[in-house]
């Protein structure tokens, strides 16, 4: 997703841009679930082929801009994880996800609308495949990677 990394580097406030372009599937898990979550992510990545994803447009975040995505396969992966941890999900993570890549955040609504107007005519409606899953722990203001797992399952499964 180097194309999305470039947009993020160009438009995300640099003092808060500690991560490469990514899609957040969940916002928070209790520390007590970490070992189970780490094991499950490896298992899920081994089961699934890289899910197909399509860029569908832009998403207005109010004080930011994101690339809107459609990926039934990634929603299936997320659903498996959500089912496993259903009683432990935060209120934010119990809502149906709107898959997206944030390229700008915590700016004025006017700046967000200006970027959306500039990007709309040039944003490519492309397809790509997710390569894997990652888990990061927030250690303000930085993020610590706890692991990455490449999708390596067979197509359709």
């Amino acid at each position: 997703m180097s194309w999305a990394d470039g947009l993020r580097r160009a438009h995300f406030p640099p003092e808060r841009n500690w991560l490469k372009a990514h899609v957040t599937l969940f916002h928070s898990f209790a520390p007590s679930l970490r070992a189970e979550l780490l094991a499950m992510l490896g298992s899920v990545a081994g089961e699934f082929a890289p899910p197909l994803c399509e860029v569908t447009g832009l998403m207005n975040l109010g004080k930011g801009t994101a690339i809107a995505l459609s990926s039934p396969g990634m929603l299936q992966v997320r659903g498996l994880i959500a089912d496993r941890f259903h009683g432990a999900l935060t209120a934010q993570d119990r809502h149906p996800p709107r898959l997206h890549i944030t390229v700008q955040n915590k700016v004025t609504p006017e700046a967000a609308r200006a970027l959306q107007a500039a990007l709309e005519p040039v944003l490519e409606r492309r397809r790509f495949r997710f390569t894997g899953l990652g888990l990061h722990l927030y250690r303000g203001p930085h993020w610590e990677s706890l692991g990455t797992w490449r999708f390596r399952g067979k197509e359709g499964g």
Side-chain angles (χ1 to χ4, degrees):
M1 286 198 307
S2 61
W3 56 273
D5 281 331
L7 285 173
R8 190 172 165 96
R9 278 191 309 275
H11 302 290
F12 204 94
E15 66 278 4
R16 287 191 296 280
N17 192 14
W18 300 108
L19 294 172
K20 289 185 175 188
H22 61 279
V23 175
T24 300
L25 297 180
F26 297 94
H27 295 87
S28 180
F29 283 95
S32 62
L33 300 174
R34 194 167 300 145
E36 184 179 357
L37 180 60
L38 290 167
M40 184 178 190
L41 293 175
S43 174
V44 168
E47 180 182 342
F48 282 84
L52 184 62
C53 186
E54 185 172 358
V55 171
T56 60
L58 293 173
M59 185 182 292
N60 183 344
L61 302 176
K63 293 185 175 185
T65 299
I67 300 167
L69 305 173
S70 174
S71 178
M74 186 55 85
L75 290 176
Q76 182 182 5
V77 168
R78 188 200 182 275
L80 283 174
I81 299 166
D83 286 348
R84 172 82 166 265
F85 295 101
H86 71 275
L89 295 179
T90 64
Q92 184 179 22
D93 286 334
R94 285 192 299 268
H95 293 291
R98 296 183 313 158
L99 299 180
H100 64 279
I101 301 168
T102 303
V103 296
Q104 177 194 53
N105 204 5
K106 297 187 174 46
V107 298
T108 65
E110 295 78 20
R113 285 192 299 273
L115 178 59
Q116 291 154 27
L119 288 180
E120 185 61 39
V122 296
L123 182 68
E124 270 187 64
R125 302 304 199 258
R126 65 177 74 217
R127 289 180 159 201
F128 64 93
R129 290 193 177 271
F130 287 103
T131 58
L133 298 169
L135 183 63
H136 289 81
L137 180 63
Y138 184 64
R139 299 220 188 257
H142 302 283
W143 292 86
E144 175 187 344
S145 174
L146 298 182
T148 56
W149 300 266
R150 294 188 69 78
F151 287 114
R152 59 189 187 284
K154 293 185 179 175
E155 198 65 41

